[in-house]
Amino acid sequence: MTAAKVKASIHQVVDAYKSKLSHYPEDIFQITPPISGWSYSEVYSHIFDSSLLSIIAFVHAANGKGENRPTHFIVKLILLLGSLPPAKKYKVPKRLADRVKKISKTEALDFILEFEKALDDNYPLIVNAKANCKTKHPRLGYLNAKQWLRFIEIHLKHHLKQLERIEKSFQA
């Protein structure tokens, strides 16, 4: 998949987050769902905070501030297939989990808009990004700029499914 198609897909997924956000009642947005785990609020906090951090890593790699390290085969497979392995439960690294907080719907929208601006402002760097210049992801190892872009798309889609599970738990 080309970088342009990945970027377009990211914007489509972000539009889905915006649409969902507009439909969540404010009084339920910060409540722990019946299935426990994160509230809608905490999912939005995590996904857009980590996506902004991923943009920073993307920019570092694109600007040559990375290392020439291999990307593991399983990570290449994840990036190729466009999803995380379904049977595996992923634990957020502690340093990222500590950043998750309950935010308002307004703060969530602000986070989304900040992410979209950062993506659009920095996307042009992908043209000259070197494939062998990589920065470290906390779980997946070393990724180059194009791989970071693809990871952002996959990660956004992963948490969109989490929102759907939360929705079902409130409907049950």
Side-chain angles (χ1 to χ4, degrees):
M1 186 180 287
T2 67
K5 286 182 181 177
V6 173
K7 181 180 178 256
S9 175
I10 289 170
H11 278 296
Q12 284 182 326
V13 175
V14 170
D15 286 346
Y17 275 93
K18 287 187 217 173
S19 177
K20 286 183 174 298
L21 181 64
S22 70
H23 291 94
Y24 296 139
E26 188 72 53
D27 60 326
I28 293 178
F29 190 65
Q30 295 184 0
I31 295 174
T32 301
I35 57 172
S36 72
W38 283 346
S39 65
Y40 293 126
S41 171
E42 290 163 312
V43 173
Y44 276 82
S45 171
H46 165 71
I47 192 58
F48 288 101
D49 181 48
S50 64
S51 293
L52 283 164
L53 292 172
S54 294
I55 293 284
I56 293 168
F58 158 88
V59 168
H60 285 303
N63 285 332
K65 297 177 185 170
E67 300 178 45
N68 186 0
R69 295 297 237 0
T71 301
H72 299 293
F73 174 77
I74 189 70
V75 175
K76 287 180 182 179
L77 193 58
I78 288 168
L79 297 171
L80 175 69
L81 297 175
S83 69
L84 300 167
K88 186 164 171 50
K89 176 81 170 155
Y90 296 94
K91 184 126 173 96
V92 176
K94 182 169 175 18
R95 71 174 190 234
L96 292 177
D98 289 347
R99 295 172 63 98
V100 174
K101 59 185 176 181
K102 291 193 176 184
I103 58 176
S104 69
K105 286 177 60 173
T106 301
E107 290 169 311
L109 182 57
D110 289 345
F111 240 156
I112 292 170
L113 298 175
E114 182 182 355
F115 166 73
E116 286 183 307
K117 181 174 179 357
L119 176 64
D120 291 341
D121 288 351
N122 292 293
Y123 175 76
L125 297 173
I126 204 107
V127 173
N128 296 317
K130 293 187 168 93
N132 64 349
C133 188
K134 302 174 184 178
T135 53
K136 190 165 181 10
H137 181 278
R139 289 277 191 253
L140 300 179
Y142 287 84
L143 305 175
N144 65 33
K146 286 181 182 174
Q147 291 169 329
W148 272 106
L149 188 68
R150 181 71 162 147
F151 167 75
I152 291 167
E153 176 196 23
I154 292 166
H155 192 221
L156 283 163
K157 286 180 177 180
H158 173 76
H159 284 287
L160 197 57
K161 291 176 190 171
Q162 181 181 11
L163 290 176
E164 290 165 5
R165 289 191 303 272
I166 294 170
E167 288 168 12
K168 286 179 184 172
S169 79
F170 276 117
Q171 292 169 356

